[in-house]
Amino acid sequence: MILYNKEKEEAEAKRQLAVLDNAPTLSPDIIPFKESLASINVKALTPIGLDVFQVNVGKMCNQTCRHCHVNAGPDRPEIMTKETMQQCLDAIKKFNIPIVDLTGGAPELNPHFRWFVKACHEMGRRIIVRCNLTIILEDERFNDLPDFFAENGVEVVSSLPFYDASRTDKVRGKGVFETSIQALKLLNARGYGMPDSSLQLDLVYNPAGAFLPPSQAFLEMEFKEHLRNDHGIEFNKLFAITNLPVSRFLNHLVNTDNFVAYMEELVNAFNPFAAENVMCRNMISVGWDGYLFDCDFNQMLNMKLDDSSHNHVSNFDLDYLLQREIKVSQHCYGCTAGAGSSCGGETI
Ligand code: SF4
Ligand code: SF4
């Protein structure tokens, strides 16, 4: 059994944050993120509400994708306990938070996943599950996921780096495209993504390298045409997401000497409208151990909320959360570049 090494994880997050904070010293084009905000008269990012409760139920995953900002994989032992999940349910209920967004790792690998989803469904919440598709075919325990999702009104959001095998497998691993296509067919057969069905199936594209995504509308058209013609697959929307320089992708950028150029590209594409619409202004992200963060990326960088009496789901305080200042560093340029980027794709 692999044990969680808190010190090691925290040291790595600290090291990565130092790399990001240091970026402005590497190029005159990399203006500190806070200065870019100041240039559009934004002193600090602040919340406008709290509609989305995002929960990372664990870092274990059946895949090991190259761009993964969670650094997830089969050997990650971090899994949210049932007790912490109950604290999440208590907060969702008490503060009437309408949207629950479940992520991981592969969230389905948490042994309490189905119990949690059912409880959210009983509360009438909108539920989003970030399903990596291949988990459905991983083994027979997961084959009924399309039925389970449908019965609980889950919206399925699934990453598919491209509509062909070579580019998808390059990012996500050998054979992932073929298994993803089979899983999409099972979801379609259950009604997901089909015309005249209310079961929502959205796909996520993110670039295979150190470049910004093309237009979301254009990509969606291309994906729809190819997946329909080549595989008979239907889906609802495509979200184009920028790779944020965090975790495995940050290390990849540094190791391939692409960090400075990529940061410059993100900074040069800074879009004031996207900055006003960043997703952290309307969400909270809960880590596997119950700590609260402004977003999943800050979670990976261990940028906890400042006030230790209000930074855990067990002491969830909506008033405090709505008054906080959102923590930023240079990775935030990934959310403000071009048409913007969030868990729901472009933001403008
Ligand atoms: S990107 Fe998603 S599917 Fe891939 S390793 Fe990370 S959590 Fe797993
Ligand atoms: S990285 Fe997180 S904190 Fe920074 S702008 Fe994006 S969502 Fe907000």
Side-chain angles (χ1 to χ4, degrees):
M1 189 170 101
I2 300 160
L3 294 176
Y4 170 58
N5 187 330
K6 187 167 186 273
E7 287 72 30
K8 190 172 150 220
E9 292 301 324
E10 287 183 355
E12 173 60 7
K14 196 170 168 190
R15 186 193 67 78
Q16 292 212 354
L17 190 56
V19 170
L20 289 163
D21 285 341
N22 188 49
T25 67
L26 304 175
S27 158
D29 284 356
I30 306 177
I31 304 154
F33 186 71
K34 280 195 169 179
E35 284 183 26
S36 287
L37 288 180
S39 74
I40 56 166
N41 296 322
V42 176
K43 214 173 129 217
L45 286 180
T46 50
I48 50 167
L50 210 174
D51 285 336
V52 182
F53 191 98
Q54 191 172 69
V55 197
N56 188 317
V57 295
K59 296 188 179 179
M60 189 182 285
C61 190
N62 57 320
Q63 292 184 185
T64 326
C65 305
R66 212 177 62 186
H67 62 269
C68 182
H69 73 270
V70 182
N71 203 12
D75 57 353
R76 295 302 301 247
E78 302 96 315
I79 290 283
M80 185 177 271
T81 63
K82 195 169 184 185
E83 184 191 4
T84 305
M85 288 172 125
Q86 183 60 57
Q87 290 166 349
C88 291
L89 292 174
D90 294 345
I92 293 162
K93 187 172 184 186
K94 182 170 177 189
F95 298 103
N96 212 14
I97 302 170
I99 304 170
V100 183
D101 185 346
L102 281 157
T103 181
E108 301 89 345
L109 287 173
N110 183 307
H112 314 298
F113 169 77
R114 293 190 190 218
W115 164 79
F116 187 80
V117 168
K118 278 185 194 165
C120 291
H121 181 56
E122 277 160 19
M123 276 195 255
R125 298 304 187 255
R126 184 176 156 203
I127 307 163
I128 299 166
V129 171
R130 299 194 179 258
C131 171
N132 70 14
L133 297 174
T134 59
I135 191 71
I136 295 174
L137 291 146
E138 181 69 11
D139 67 52
E140 60 191 18
R141 283 174 301 158
F142 305 106
N143 293 167
D144 67 336
L145 277 169
D147 287 335
F148 174 77
F149 290 152
E151 283 155 16
N152 290 282
V154 167
E155 294 174 26
V156 176
V157 178
S158 296
S159 185
L160 189 69
F162 213 59
Y163 48 75
D164 69 27
S166 63
R167 280 170 71 173
T168 299
D169 289 1
K170 195 174 151 208
V171 176
R172 285 170 95 74
K174 199 166 181 315
V176 166
F177 181 76
E178 198 43 56
T179 312
S180 301
I181 291 295
Q182 286 179 44
L184 286 168
K185 286 183 177 171
L186 290 174
L187 286 162
N188 276 174
R190 190 59 182 78
Y192 270 97
M194 300 303 283
D196 304 325
S197 166
S198 61
L199 296 171
Q200 188 80 12
L201 171 61
D202 299 324
L203 297 183
V204 176
Y205 160 92
N206 50 320
F211 51 90
L212 291 175
S215 141
Q216 183 166 284
F218 169 75
L219 269 177
E220 183 178 290
M221 243 167 33
E222 256 199 304
F223 265 67
K224 285 204 166 177
E225 192 183 315
H226 283 269
L227 289 177
R228 185 178 295 137
N229 294 343
D230 300 346
H231 305 283
I233 285 169
E234 303 286 340
F235 66 95
N236 297 107
K237 287 189 263 173
L238 181 101
F239 303 145
I241 291 185
T242 302
N243 286 321
L244 261 72
V246 171
S247 192
R248 212 171 270 164
F249 188 61
L250 174 60
N251 287 339
H252 170 73
L253 289 171
V254 172
N255 293 339
T256 55
D257 278 339
N258 277 309
F259 177 58
V260 173
Y262 189 63
M263 283 307 308
E264 287 173 345
E265 190 177 351
L266 294 180
V267 176
N268 291 336
F270 179 75
N271 180 336
F273 296 107
E276 281 178 22
N277 290 306
V278 283
M279 62 182 174
C280 49
R281 301 194 68 198
N282 194 22
M283 75 179 294
I284 199 76
S285 164
V286 189
W288 69 275
D289 51 3
Y291 281 98
L292 304 178
F293 301 86
D294 301 302
C295 71
D296 211 30
F297 303 108
N298 285 9
Q299 191 183 131
M300 300 313 142
L301 293 164
N302 199 25
M303 297 166 75
K304 289 195 182 88
L305 305 192
D306 282 332
D307 185 341
S308 62
S309 59
H310 293 112
N311 70 355
H312 192 271
V313 69
S314 58
N315 46 36
F316 198 91
D317 179 341
L318 187 60
D319 288 340
Y320 164 76
L321 293 174
L322 292 177
Q323 285 167 30
R324 77 193 192 277
E325 183 177 316
I326 291 163
K327 294 190 152 193
V328 298
S329 182
Q330 310 317 310
H331 63 298
C332 295
Y333 277 116
C335 294
T336 59
S341 181
S342 73
C343 290
E346 290 180 357
T347 52
I348 60 165

